[in-house]
Amino acid sequence: QGRRVLLIDADLRRAQLHEVLGTSARPGLSEYLRDGLEEAAVLQRGPLENLFFIPGGKPDANPAELIANGRLKTLLQRMAPLFDWIILDSPPAVPVSDSSLMAGFCDGVVMVVRAGETPVELAQKARQEFADKPVIGVVLNRADEKSAYNSYYYNYQGDGKKTRPKG
């Protein structure tokens, strides 16, 4: 039997997950946090049987204030018994503090790094934002699998020496 998953678009500045899932953007998390809507008013069924979704809602001028008002913690406590996994998709850890605030309500953090675009220094700075939080993994997205495999395969001779591919 599949696990029940709640996916929350917690990027209150630029919520976009509703577009990927083909659902409506509102009402969502910002309305729940700001306007006191009930959980049932913002919870949507996802495209898969065991997937549920809370969209980000209307962008807010001060998301950090909404996140810190206590309602997000309440939402997570109320939803925890109903789901096997609750995933918060937050905005980038740098330059805003939203992700770090949300991490305090979570069991662990999974960092997402864009291959070939996220500078190493920025990824390290983001990791420092979660220094006191358990980072349980890193996802490298938009990596060119074929290029990465070929680079390793063709550049490694087995004796520790690296060579340049010909051509």
Side-chain angles (χ1 to χ4, degrees), residues 124-141:
Q124 289 172 336
K125 186 173 182 179
R127 173 59 183 105
Q128 290 171 354
E129 288 290 318
F130 305 113
D132 60 338
K133 314 286 189 293
V135 174
I136 57 176
V138 177
V139 173
L140 181 65
N141 73 357

Side-chain angles (χ1 to χ4, degrees), residues 32 37-39 71-83 86:
Y32 174 85
L37 293 181
E38 293 297 318
E39 293 86 5
R71 289 206 29 100
L72 179 59
K73 185 176 182 179
T74 299
L75 174 67
L76 296 173
Q77 288 171 339
R78 289 183 180 168
M79 295 289 108
L82 305 174
F83 295 95
I86 298 176

Side-chain angles (χ1 to χ4, degrees), residues 91-105:
V94 179
V96 296
S97 65
D98 304 8
S99 298
S100 184
L101 288 170
M102 285 181 230
F105 304 130

Side-chain angles (χ1 to χ4, degrees), residues 11-70:
D11 187 343
L12 301 179
R13 288 177 169 80
R14 289 183 37 184
Q16 297 176 334
L17 280 180
H18 65 280
E19 295 171 4
V20 175
L21 296 175
T23 66
S24 62
R26 297 181 190 147
L29 183 60
S30 62
E31 286 81 12
Y32 174 85
L33 298 175
R34 182 182 49 244
D35 304 333
L37 293 181
E38 293 297 318
E39 293 86 5
V42 297
L43 187 64
Q44 299 179 13
R45 221 182 225 298
L48 304 173
E49 181 182 345
N50 291 331
L51 177 64
F52 294 80
F53 176 60
I54 296 178
K58 182 180 178 185
D60 194 85
N62 193 354
E65 187 176 294
L66 285 181
I67 293 163
N69 74 10

